[in-house]
Amino acid sequence: MDTTTETLVVNRSKLRLLPCLSRLGADEFKSIESKAFIRKIAKDDMLFSSSDELKYIFIVVSGSIKLFKASEEGREIVIKTMSTGEHFCCAPLLTDRKQMVNAIALEDSSIIYIPAEMFLELMCDGLSGQGIKMLQTLCGKVQHLSKMVETMTFKDVEQRVLSCILGLASGKSPSENIVVVDITHQELASMTGSVREVVSRAMSKLKKSGIILERTSSGFKIDKQLAVDYMKRLDTRVRRCVKEGCPTIK
């Protein structure tokens, strides 16, 4: 891995590439300059992997960086290619501090690294408590959409339906295993990128497995623990199927 670090090259003109830093005062820029650094990244080198701890905010000085998601079987979807002047990895600052994607250099690149804690302090300086809460909400939505992209790309219909149901059930009565999920088959189809008929077949399988217990006037009852266990079995089955080249994954 041919990666070198230059600690004396970060200057104000490079930092001003980031719009949210462009109006900082001289003292604030001086503080950033003392702790930020530029790292040269060779083509095909990884900056970080999904779920790594967030430690820095990045600005592309030159070159290009691919942000992508990958399944355990090696399938990949590109989220965005970052070029000169663009920044990334802000959203995890106000969520769980875990990277949402993988990042790899598409060519030899130079990247500014700004310590995450310093960036967060600058970003929140002068904001009211309500303003910070609004930022947290927006970052949470970005994280949710990121997970949706992964689910829609790498999981089959049955997995997507079960994942959606688990997501809805997780916030209901944390101390109880049997909960009511208020959603129709049509709504599930819309949320999972499928059609009602296909979702209904998937729901029938879940009912036979004991995960769905009974219908209610607006939804159905679900056994959360059985759903979690079943999801693990589905994930194992799909990984094995992809590895062996079976044609059933859609």
Side-chain angles (χ1 to χ4, degrees):
M1 182 172 179
D2 184 20
T3 301
T4 59
T5 301
E6 304 174 30
T7 58
L8 301 177
V9 183
V10 179
N11 55 46
R12 200 162 303 180
S13 63
K14 288 184 172 65
L15 292 173
R16 286 188 186 278
L17 290 171
L18 197 58
C20 58
L21 299 182
S22 61
R23 295 187 178 183
L24 293 180
D27 290 342
E28 293 165 316
F29 273 119
K30 185 176 180 180
S31 177
I32 295 178
E33 288 168 354
S34 69
K35 295 185 179 181
F37 57 89
I38 289 181
R39 178 165 288 166
K40 291 185 177 181
I41 307 295
K43 180 181 178 180
D44 295 328
D45 275 356
M46 294 287 295
L47 275 74
F48 54 80
S49 298
S50 177
S51 296
D52 281 354
E53 180 184 357
L54 173 69
K55 295 181 179 179
Y56 299 98
I57 301 301
F58 305 93
I59 308 174
V60 181
V61 179
S62 64
S64 56
I65 303 296
K66 179 176 73 174
L67 304 182
F68 66 99
K69 286 182 172 289
S71 69
E72 294 183 17
E73 304 82 37
R75 289 182 291 169
E76 180 182 303
I77 179 172
V78 177
I79 303 301
K80 194 174 191 302
T81 298
M82 313 304 294
S83 55
T84 300
E86 294 189 289
H87 65 284
F88 51 102
C89 295
C90 294
L93 271 175
L94 293 171
T95 53
D96 59 4
R97 296 297 185 93
K98 299 296 183 182
Q99 299 287 7
M100 300 178 188
V101 295
N102 307 286
I104 190 171
L106 293 177
E107 57 186 305
D108 292 349
S109 304
S110 292
I111 310 295
I112 293 177
Y113 286 59
I114 302 177
E117 292 300 332
M118 169 179 283
F119 187 86
L120 180 62
E121 183 177 340
L122 289 170
M123 185 172 64
C124 294
D125 186 37
L127 286 177
S128 65
Q130 186 61 35
I132 293 174
K133 287 181 180 178
M134 289 178 66
L135 280 178
Q136 289 175 325
T137 299
L138 290 172
C139 289
K141 290 184 181 299
V142 170
Q143 185 181 54
H144 174 69
L145 290 172
S146 177
K147 290 179 179 178
M148 281 185 64
V149 168
E150 187 170 351
T151 297
M152 297 286 283
T153 303
F154 300 132
K155 297 186 182 299
D156 63 17
V157 173
E158 190 175 2
Q159 287 176 300
R160 299 203 302 265
V161 168
L162 187 53
S163 180
C164 184
I165 291 171
L166 278 171
L168 294 170
S170 62
K172 291 196 169 189
S173 306
S175 61
E176 297 181 11
N177 183 51
I178 307 300
V179 297
V180 175
V181 176
D182 298 322
I183 193 170
T184 65
H185 286 198
Q186 183 57 56
E187 289 169 335
L188 273 172
S190 298
M191 294 176 70
T192 56
S194 186
V195 295
R196 189 182 186 283
E197 291 75 13
V198 176
V199 167
S200 294
R201 289 198 293 269
M203 294 290 282
S204 294
K205 289 184 180 180
L206 297 179
K207 188 172 182 180
K208 290 178 181 178
S209 300
I211 295 168
I212 296 175
L213 303 177
E214 61 180 87
R215 298 276 310 197
T216 67
S217 58
S218 59
F220 47 86
K221 287 185 179 181
I222 177 176
D223 185 313
K224 290 192 289 187
Q225 188 56 56
L226 280 181
V228 170
D229 294 341
Y230 191 74
M231 176 64 87
K232 291 178 181 177
R233 294 197 297 274
L234 278 179
D235 288 342
T236 299
R237 185 201 72 187
V238 171
R239 285 196 297 271
R240 183 172 60 250
C241 195
V242 170
K243 183 178 180 180
E244 295 174 356
C246 89
T248 60
I249 306 303
K250 298 181 179 179

